[in-house]
């Protein structure tokens, strides 16, 4: 039941990950903006079924303990994360994996599933979006200044990063995600959705203040054969706030 953590060299970077469980079915947990395994997936690392699953939570480059390097946001940062994630799991000798992707991690998961279809078994994503609208852009601007965040959300990230790196990287993230707004249709990965072949569950919290429901509907509509599950009381962090319900939902889908 213990959680181990280690680093492994992938694509020129030392990527940090946590691992638990001894099941045959490998799952990779993909965190959101500024996220890491420890800050984003506590209840999943603790409580997902360790007999059925081997659970890995990774810190994308520049996030969590996968530093250095400092995080940056080139135009292809999601594609880079998708390749890093897949190459990490291959470096850890997993033959095939399922993905649980939250927020930015959901976008990364969609891209990974589209680009490496033979490697991805199943996928659960929540709080993700395939494109950026003007409305989204306004929402992102609203979180640019971390001093306006609630203390509960802010404190763990300040402890992980230090106040300066946290504040600076959040601003860089807002600029990074807003660059998609200027592309045709605000495209991040909408062109890749028809290429997703694995069974996919899209979960959406109906009270999510950061990602409007039209994003979940769009992904559900364009990933063929996908399922959409709505959680009426869920916000953006539905997997933390309603951890037991979410974990059961994910386990049932992945089996």
């Amino acid at each position: 039941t213990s959680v181990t953590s280690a680093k492994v060299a992938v694509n020129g970077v030392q990527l940090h990950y946590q691992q638990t469980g001894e099941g045959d079915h490998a799952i990779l947990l993909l965190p959101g903006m500024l996220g890491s395994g420890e800050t984003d997936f506590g209840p999943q690392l603790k409580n997902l079924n360790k007999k059925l699953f081997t659970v890995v939570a990774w810190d994308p480059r520049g996030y969590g303990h996968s530093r250095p390097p400092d995080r940056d946001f080139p135009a292809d940062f999601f594609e880079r994360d998708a390749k890093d994630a897949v190459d990490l799991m291959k470096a850890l000798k997993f033959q095939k994996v399922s993905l649980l992707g939250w927020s930015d991690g959901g976008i990364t998961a969609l891209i990974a599933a589209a680009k490496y279809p033979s490697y991805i078994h199943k996928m659960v994503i929540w709080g993700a979006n395939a494109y950026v609208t003007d409305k989204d852009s306004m929402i992102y601007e609203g979180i640019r200044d971390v001093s306006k965040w609630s203390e509960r959300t802010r404190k763990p990230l300040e402890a992980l990063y230090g106040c300066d790196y946290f504040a600076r990287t959040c601003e860089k993230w807002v600029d990074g995600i807003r660059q998609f707004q200027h592309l045709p249709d605000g495209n991040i990965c909408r062109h890749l959705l028809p290429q997703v072949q694995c069974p996919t569950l899209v979960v959406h919290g109906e009270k999510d203040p950061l990602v409007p429901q039209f994003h979940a509907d769009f992904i559900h509509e364009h990933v063929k054969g996908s399922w959409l599950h709505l959680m009426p009381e869920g916000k953006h962090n539905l997997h933390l706030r309603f951890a037991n319900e979410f974990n059961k939902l994910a386990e049932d889908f992945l089996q």
Side-chain angles (χ1 to χ4, degrees), residues 140-141 143-144 170-179:
Y140 303 147
E141 277 306 322
I143 61 170
R144 178 187 287 272
C170 185
E171 291 203 16
K172 278 161 68 171
W173 178 84
V174 172
D175 294 334
I177 194 82
R178 287 193 64 190
Q179 67 190 321

Side-chain angles (χ1 to χ4, degrees), residues 10-229:
V10 177
N11 299 327
V13 180
Q14 290 285 327
L15 291 179
H16 176 264
Y17 66 96
Q18 292 169 287
Q19 183 172 329
T20 189
E22 66 223 334
D24 293 335
H25 190 154
I27 301 176
L28 177 64
L29 308 177
L30 300 99
M33 168 259 257
L34 281 158
S36 68
E38 68 183 85
T39 55
D40 288 21
F41 292 118
Q44 284 69 46
L45 285 163
K46 186 162 181 263
N47 295 320
L48 284 173
N49 188 313
K50 293 169 197 274
K51 294 266 189 290
L52 293 175
F53 303 113
T54 297
V55 182
V56 176
W58 83 308
D59 300 355
R61 63 169 74 201
Y63 284 168
H65 300 286
S66 295
R67 294 177 289 145
D70 281 3
R71 181 70 179 184
D72 64 346
F73 299 93
D76 67 344
F77 73 89
F78 283 117
E79 282 82 359
R80 183 180 66 183
D81 282 348
K83 186 177 191 319
D84 282 348
V86 167
D87 290 346
L88 167 68
M89 295 304 274
K90 287 180 175 175
L92 298 179
K93 302 286 189 278
F94 294 109
Q95 298 305 304
K96 199 163 186 172
V97 305
S98 290
L99 305 176
L100 262 65
W102 178 33
S103 199
D104 273 15
I107 300 172
T108 302
L110 284 165
I111 294 170
K115 291 198 160 184
Y116 312 97
S118 64
Y119 193 64
I120 308 304
H121 178 46
K122 290 184 176 183
M123 171 166 63
V124 182
I125 60 168
W126 64 106
N129 50 299
Y131 58 95
V132 175
T133 67
D134 292 348
K135 180 179 179 176
D136 298 315
S137 221
M138 283 171 61
I139 293 170
Y140 303 147
E141 277 306 322
I143 61 170
R144 178 187 287 272
D145 180 357
V146 297
S147 71
K148 297 200 177 91
W149 290 26
S150 77
E151 193 167 334
R152 202 175 42 134
T153 314
R154 199 176 71 236
K155 281 290 175 230
L157 291 167
E158 287 181 345
L160 176 61
Y161 291 116
C163 296
D164 182 55
Y165 184 84
F166 170 48
R168 208 172 61 236
T169 307
C170 185
E171 291 203 16
K172 278 161 68 171
W173 178 84
V174 172
D175 294 334
I177 194 82
R178 287 193 64 190
Q179 67 190 321
F180 298 103
Q181 194 187 355
H182 308 298
L183 297 177
D185 300 316
N187 183 41
I188 301 175
C189 65
R190 49 199 291 161
H191 60 297
L192 294 174
L193 300 185
Q195 295 172 37
V196 174
Q197 294 171 26
C198 66
T200 300
L201 174 62
V202 181
V203 183
H204 182 72
E206 294 190 58
K207 295 186 173 174
D208 190 332
L210 296 176
V211 180
Q213 191 177 324
F214 61 76
H215 283 302
D217 292 336
F218 185 90
I219 293 167
H220 170 50
E221 204 177 310
H222 291 88
V223 173
K224 56 179 175 287
S226 63
W227 288 264
L228 176 64
H229 180 94

